[in-house]
């Protein structure tokens, strides 16, 4: 079955083993320099996932892998087509299955077993669906469906989150060979693909589509297959173009006259410096969107491949770039990069649940443990399977092997994972884990009140969200949650505003007002402020759209705003300067910028109510409740971290007409400063700091009374 195919990210990039189908002179040898690229890519990903401040863009390692794998696998398939006149689809799927599946299934099962001993029953329930999605290779769509913000996710999360990229690979492998087969079977398509400009245009159009989708939904754009395929196609396009270069042409272009040897050497070192500088910049620069980083990483990888691939006219043997990337440590890491990628994230999750360590220490432990696990997997699982399967030559046996991997994946997903993540497995030392000290070391008498069923997650009245704008920069629809009267209320802020939508939606129905809601995770309502760890162009675009467009469009009578406390270590606030650099923000600066933002919002005469930051728990409430016997064991003492911000907000409000602040500390913590996880049988927080929808509705009437009375005063 003739077809041209391409492939993967980290997995297929690590090692490609295939039966010889081309003349010996055309066989590809493993390039040490490309192993070096793999090593750099996986290491920056690990640095990003441990939360290293200087590696905020380290996720571009995945972008590099996508391009690299598309190039390598397509190159192999092009040579197969030249050598045999056809491409075996069954053979392709067989090689991909034996390379990817065994190591992935091993990682998933081991991670699930270890995670079960360090997680509560609710966490295991969530992890089970995550693990099944990872095993069956649809994890990226699964996480999109959960609307999980990849960049705002805490480090202590699902051990299977990183399988989103591997899922994209498998989906690509399943579809791409069939598409290529259809393309080469249709004459006019085959003739069109004979033009180099068509091959170049395909990934460019795909990239433009990805950028357009990113403008309205950056999370989906980052995780979705259709918005990632351009990187795989870019690598494939380069492989096809270089595969068309005649060998004689390449040899002639490689012969540079001796008198230019010195210039060539200087140029080579300049290229090396430029490549390293570009990599460091795209990994460390602040304020650059993930999609923009991805485009830059794609272009950089294509350039490196053009300089390092032997079939390229730009290739120069022994160049400084090639020698640097071929150093032994990088080559060794690159050869097991697939395994390192598989193991590193579960290791990070398990380590952070067991030890409270700094980022550098966590990075060192993660790299060491990942290399150890990847090496063991390589020696005892991957290599033996590849050695055994390399002797298979009959297509029927290859097809049977592919079907066997599918059956094995189904067995793991439907049988082993439910057992590994069973609710019968005891939770080890839950209250001794970091963040589980419920009263900050203060001894007190525990009231023996039993925990209600489902941890108090009951009593939520159904509510409408209409056209609420959540994590999107497109506010052109007006963001109307409920249209129900002449009075217009705008609810605006980060995820703390989001967990009040259920309450304000209910109030809009009861009080007869129209509600517009704009919620952007990790984005404060003040226009000139941003959270250090979550500052993205999306946040700034949303702020600008609200202040410059939405307020003019809907002319709200009342604006209610709320954000995380800026004293929270996870949500440190920075002030946007004229050069968009991070600035230290003292209380006076915070107050001045808040005052400016408030006046802009109130410019049409509407009132502005600022809901003061509320107490946050030092641990996940549901996870704690799942590990103890009595409700009171998961109560916590509210810290004073948010008080300075509350005082500053009150000073701002006192100096501006029509502006007021509202405290809800006593509503979420009736025994303040002691805060209960369940009040009146209803769960208060569904994690550490977000209100459960049912509880938000429980306090809605009193909250609205305070909002309206303060505004009237």
């Amino acid at each position: 079955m003739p077809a041209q195919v391409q492939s993967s990210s980290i997995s297929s990039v690590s090692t490609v083993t295939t039966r010889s189908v081309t003349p010996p002179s055309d066989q590809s040898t493993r390039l040490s320099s490309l192993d070096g690229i793999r090593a750099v890519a996986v290491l920056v990903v690990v640095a990003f996932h441990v939360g290293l401040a200087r590696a905020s863009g380290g996720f571009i390692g995945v972008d590099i892998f996508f391009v690299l794998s598309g190039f390598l696998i397509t190159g192999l398939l092009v040579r197969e087509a030249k050598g045999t006149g056809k491409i075996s689809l069954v053979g392709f799927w067989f090689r991909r299955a034996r390379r990817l599946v065994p190591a992935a299934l091993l990682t998933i099962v081991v991670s699930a077993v270890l995670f079960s001993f360090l997680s509560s029953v609710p966490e295991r329930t969530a992890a089970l669906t995550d693990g099944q999605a990872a095993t069956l290779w649809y994890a990226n769509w699964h996480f999109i469906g959960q609307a999980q913000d990849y960049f705002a996710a805490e480090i202590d999360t699902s051990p299977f989150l990183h399988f989103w990229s591997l899922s994209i690979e498998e989906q690509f492998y399943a579809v791409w060979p069939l598409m290529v087969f259809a393309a080469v079977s249709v004459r006019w398509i085959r003739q069109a693909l004979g033009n180099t400009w068509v091959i170049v245009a395909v990934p460019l159009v795909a990239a433009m589509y990805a950028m357009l989708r990113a403008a309205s939904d950056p999370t989906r754009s980052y995780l979705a297959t259709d918005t990632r395929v351009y990187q795989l196609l870019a690598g494939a396009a380069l492989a096809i173009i270089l595969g068309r270069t005649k060998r004689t042409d390449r040899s002639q272009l490689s012969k540079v006259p001796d008198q230019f040897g010195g210039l060539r050497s200087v140029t080579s070192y300049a290229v090396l410096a430029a490549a390293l500088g570009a990599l460091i910049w795209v990994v460390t620069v602040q304020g650059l969107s993930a999609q923009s980083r991805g485009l830059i990483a794609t272009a950089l990888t294509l350039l490196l491949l053009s300089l390092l691939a032997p079939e390229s006219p730009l290739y120069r043997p022994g160049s400084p770039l090639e020698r640097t990337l071929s150093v032994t440590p990088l080559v060794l890491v690159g050869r097991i990069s697939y395994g390192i990628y598989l193991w590193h994230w579960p290791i990070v999750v398990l380590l952070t649940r067991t030890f409270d360590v700094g980022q550098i220490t966590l990075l060192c432990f993660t790299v060491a443990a990942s290399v150890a696990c990847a090496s063991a997997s390589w020696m005892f699982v991957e290599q033996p399977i590849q050695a055994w399967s390399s002797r298979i030559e009959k297509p029927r046996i290859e097809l049977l092997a592919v079907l066997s991997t599918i059956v094995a994946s189904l067995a793991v997903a439907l049988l082993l994972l439910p057992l590994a993540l069973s609710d019968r497995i005891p939770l080890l030392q839950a209250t001794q884990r970091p963040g589980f000290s419920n009263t900050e070391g203060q001894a007190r008498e525990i009231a023996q009140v039993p925990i209600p069923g489902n941890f108090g997650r009951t009593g939520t009245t159904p509510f409408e969200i209409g056209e609420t704008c959540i994590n999107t920069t497109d506010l052109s629809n007006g963001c109307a949650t409920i249209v129900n009267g002449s009075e217009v209320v705008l609810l605006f802020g980060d995820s703390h505003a989001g967990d009040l939508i259920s309450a304000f939606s209910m109030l809009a129905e009861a009080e007869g007002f129209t509600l517009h809601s704009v919620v952007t995770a990790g984005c404060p309502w003040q226009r000139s402020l941003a959270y250090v760890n979550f500052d993205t162009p999306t946040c700034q675009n949303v702020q600008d759209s609200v202040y410059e467009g939405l307020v003019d469009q809907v002319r709200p009578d009342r604006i209610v705003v709320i954000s995380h406390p800026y004293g929270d270590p996870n949500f440190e606030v920075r002030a946007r300067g004229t050069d968009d650099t991070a600035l230290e923000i003292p209380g006076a600066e915070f107050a001045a910028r808040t005052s400016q933002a408030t006046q802009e919002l109130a410019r049409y005469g509407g009132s502005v109510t600022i809901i003061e930051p509320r107490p946050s728990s030092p641990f996940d409430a549901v996870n704690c409740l799942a590990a103890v016997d009595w409700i009171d064991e998961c109560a916590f003492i509210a810290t004073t971290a948010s008080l300075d911000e509350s005082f500053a907000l009150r000073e701002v409000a006192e100096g501006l007409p029509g502006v007021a602040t509202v405290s809800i500390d006593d509503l979420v913590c009736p025994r303040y400063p002691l805060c209960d996880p369940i009040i009146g049988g209803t769960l208060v927080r569904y994690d550490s700091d977000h209100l459960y929808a049912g509880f938000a509705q429980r306090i809605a009437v009193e909250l609205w009374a305070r909002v309206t009375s303060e505004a009237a005063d």
Side-chain angles (χ1 to χ4, degrees):
M1 300 176 72
Q4 291 178 347
V5 222
Q6 93 182 48
S7 167
S8 122
S9 118
I10 296 177
S11 46
S12 56
V13 174
S14 299
T15 295
V16 177
T17 305
T18 180
R19 194 169 56 256
S20 298
V21 292
T22 56
S25 60
D26 285 340
Q27 286 184 357
S28 64
T29 58
R30 188 177 183 93
L31 299 178
S32 297
S33 57
L34 298 193
D35 278 325
I37 295 179
R38 297 180 185 103
V40 171
V42 78
L43 290 175
V44 296
V45 169
V46 174
F48 168 69
H49 277 158
V50 301
L52 200 64
R54 293 293 184 180
S56 59
F59 52 83
I60 60 114
V62 173
D63 303 72
I64 294 173
F65 276 121
F66 280 145
V67 179
L68 187 58
S69 59
F71 173 81
L72 290 171
I73 300 302
T74 302
L76 289 173
L77 293 170
V78 167
R79 287 187 287 274
E80 179 182 351
K82 285 183 177 181
T84 65
K86 63 180 182 179
I87 291 176
S88 170
L89 295 180
V90 172
F92 170 80
W93 286 322
F94 167 69
R95 292 189 294 271
R96 294 298 88 215
R98 74 180 183 185
R99 176 69 190 100
L100 304 179
V101 176
L105 293 183
L106 174 65
T107 305
I108 289 171
V109 172
V110 173
S111 299
V113 171
L114 295 177
F115 183 75
S116 66
F117 288 104
L118 296 173
S119 58
S120 64
V121 172
E123 288 177 308
R124 294 176 201 172
T125 301
L128 174 59
T129 58
D130 295 346
Q132 290 172 328
T135 305
L136 300 179
W137 307 107
Y138 65 93
N140 63 320
W141 296 108
H142 168 72
F143 289 120
I144 290 172
Q146 289 185 337
Q148 178 158 347
D149 187 346
Y150 184 73
F151 303 101
E154 293 182 357
I155 203 168
D156 187 5
T157 183
S158 170
F160 309 112
L161 179 62
H162 64 314
F163 271 86
W164 70 268
S165 64
L166 303 178
S167 296
I168 290 177
E169 296 176 22
E170 287 296 331
Q171 295 158 24
F172 186 79
Y173 298 153
V175 176
W176 177 245
L178 300 175
M179 293 179 62
V180 173
F181 178 74
V184 299
S185 300
V186 179
R187 182 178 179 181
W188 70 268
I189 297 179
R190 186 168 61 251
Q191 291 176 341
L193 293 176
N195 298 312
T196 300
W197 70 267
V198 174
I199 296 174
V200 173
V202 171
L204 287 178
V205 171
M208 292 174 61
Y209 166 78
M211 294 301 288
L212 289 174
R213 290 305 303 262
S216 59
D217 193 344
T219 299
R220 184 196 180 282
S221 177
Y222 188 83
L223 296 173
T225 307
D226 57 339
T227 50
R228 281 294 191 161
V229 72
Y230 81 90
Q231 296 172 319
L232 291 156
L233 292 175
L238 180 62
I240 294 171
I241 293 172
L242 294 183
R244 292 176 175 177
T245 305
K246 296 181 180 180
R247 183 173 298 277
T248 54
D249 292 341
R250 289 197 300 269
S251 61
Q252 292 298 322
L253 288 169
S254 299
K255 294 179 180 178
V256 179
D258 290 339
Q259 60 266 34
F260 295 107
L263 178 61
R264 184 175 64 186
S265 178
V266 172
T267 303
S268 297
Y269 281 106
V271 169
L272 172 62
L276 291 177
L279 177 65
I280 293 172
W281 178 79
V282 77
V283 168
T284 60
V285 68
Q286 299 289 332
L288 192 64
S289 70
Q291 289 70 33
S292 297
R293 292 183 202 265
L295 284 175
I296 296 171
T298 299
L300 177 61
T301 308
L302 292 174
L303 174 60
L304 291 176
L305 290 173
S306 299
L307 295 172
L308 295 171
E311 59 267 36
S312 172
L314 302 178
Y315 173 67
R316 295 294 180 266
S319 67
L321 179 64
E322 185 178 53
R323 294 199 306 271
T324 300
L325 291 171
S326 300
V327 296
T328 301
L330 287 180
V331 172
L332 293 177
V333 170
R335 287 181 180 176
I336 58 171
S337 57
Y338 175 46
I340 292 175
Y341 184 81
L342 283 175
W343 287 101
H344 87 280
W345 180 249
I347 288 172
V348 169
V349 171
L350 296 173
L351 283 175
T352 54
R353 286 173 170 265
T354 310
F355 305 102
D356 192 2
V357 297
Q359 293 175 344
I360 300 300
T361 303
L362 180 60
L363 176 63
C364 294
F365 271 105
T366 301
V367 170
S370 300
V371 169
C373 292
S375 299
S377 174
W378 173 257
M379 290 186 291
F380 301 115
V381 177
E382 299 168 58
Q383 282 289 74
I385 289 177
Q386 293 200 52
W388 169 78
S389 60
S390 64
R391 297 193 293 268
I392 298 176
E393 297 184 355
K394 295 182 179 180
R396 290 183 179 179
I397 305 299
E398 291 180 337
L399 179 59
L400 181 61
V402 172
L403 295 176
S404 298
T405 60
I406 295 175
V407 172
S409 298
L410 288 170
V412 169
L414 302 179
L415 298 177
L416 290 184
L417 285 181
L419 290 175
L421 294 166
S422 170
D423 58 4
R424 297 183 179 181
I425 297 176
L427 175 61
L428 300 181
Q429 297 182 334
T431 55
Q432 279 71 55
R433 295 213 315 262
F436 265 80
S437 177
N438 53 15
T439 58
E440 299 184 352
Q442 298 184 25
R444 61 183 180 84
E445 184 177 351
I446 301 297
Q448 296 186 356
V449 179
I451 299 169
N454 201 26
F455 308 107
R457 292 180 293 192
T458 57
T460 303
T461 302
F463 58 94
E464 298 292 332
I465 63 170
E467 296 184 343
T468 296
C469 295
I470 301 177
N471 296 331
T472 178
T473 58
D474 184 7
L475 311 186
S476 58
N477 62 3
C479 308
T481 304
I482 290 180
V483 178
N484 197 37
S486 58
E487 182 183 6
V488 177
V489 176
L490 171 62
L491 176 63
F492 176 37
D494 60 11
S495 58
H496 277 202
D499 60 30
L500 291 178
I501 289 178
S502 63
F504 275 84
S505 177
M506 185 182 75
L507 289 168
E509 293 281 8
E511 301 292 333
F513 61 79
T514 293
L515 175 65
H516 298 261
S517 307
V518 179
V519 175
T520 307
C523 186
W525 61 268
Q526 297 98 323
R527 186 179 189 179
S528 58
L529 299 181
Y531 299 127
V532 173
N533 294 330
F534 308 112
D535 186 15
T536 65
T538 297
C539 175
Q540 188 165 2
N541 290 339
V542 169
Q543 291 172 335
D544 291 343
S545 296
V546 170
Y547 283 81
E548 297 176 4
L550 187 65
V551 172
D552 293 339
Q553 178 182 348
V554 305
R555 298 293 179 96
D557 301 291
R558 192 185 310 278
I559 301 176
V560 180
V561 294
I562 183 174
S563 296
H564 279 79
Y566 80 87
D568 187 328
N570 295 319
F571 291 90
E572 295 178 351
V573 170
R574 52 163 281 189
R576 287 201 180 99
T578 55
D579 58 353
D580 201 37
T581 57
L583 304 172
E584 290 292 332
I585 181 163
E589 179 74 11
F590 170 81
R593 290 178 179 260
T594 298
S595 176
Q596 178 183 358
T598 304
Q599 292 178 66
E600 288 189 65
L601 289 176
R603 63 183 179 272
Y604 292 112
S607 65
V608 176
T609 301
I610 306 171
I611 298 180
E612 297 175 8
R614 58 189 184 236
S616 295
S617 170
F619 49 81
D620 185 293
V622 175
N623 291 338
C624 181
L625 290 168
V628 299
D629 297 320
W630 313 111
I631 292 177
D632 210 21
E633 291 183 85
C634 292
F636 67 92
I637 302 296
T639 67
T640 59
S642 62
L643 292 182
D644 289 342
E645 181 176 354
S646 295
F647 293 149
L649 293 174
R650 292 170 191 174
E651 290 182 6
V652 169
E654 289 175 1
L656 298 174
V659 179
T661 64
V662 166
S663 172
I664 60 173
D665 288 356
D666 61 320
L667 298 182
V668 298
C669 298
R671 294 196 290 166
Y672 189 87
L674 186 66
C675 298
D676 297 297
I678 294 176
I679 297 175
T682 302
L683 182 70
V684 178
R685 299 166 185 81
Y686 64 82
D687 55 13
S688 63
D689 66 343
H690 294 97
L691 298 182
Y692 171 60
F695 184 79
Q697 292 179 332
R698 179 187 177 94
I699 65 172
V701 173
E702 177 59 28
L703 172 61
W704 184 247
R706 296 184 184 189
V707 168
T708 53
S709 64
E710 290 292 343
D713 294 342

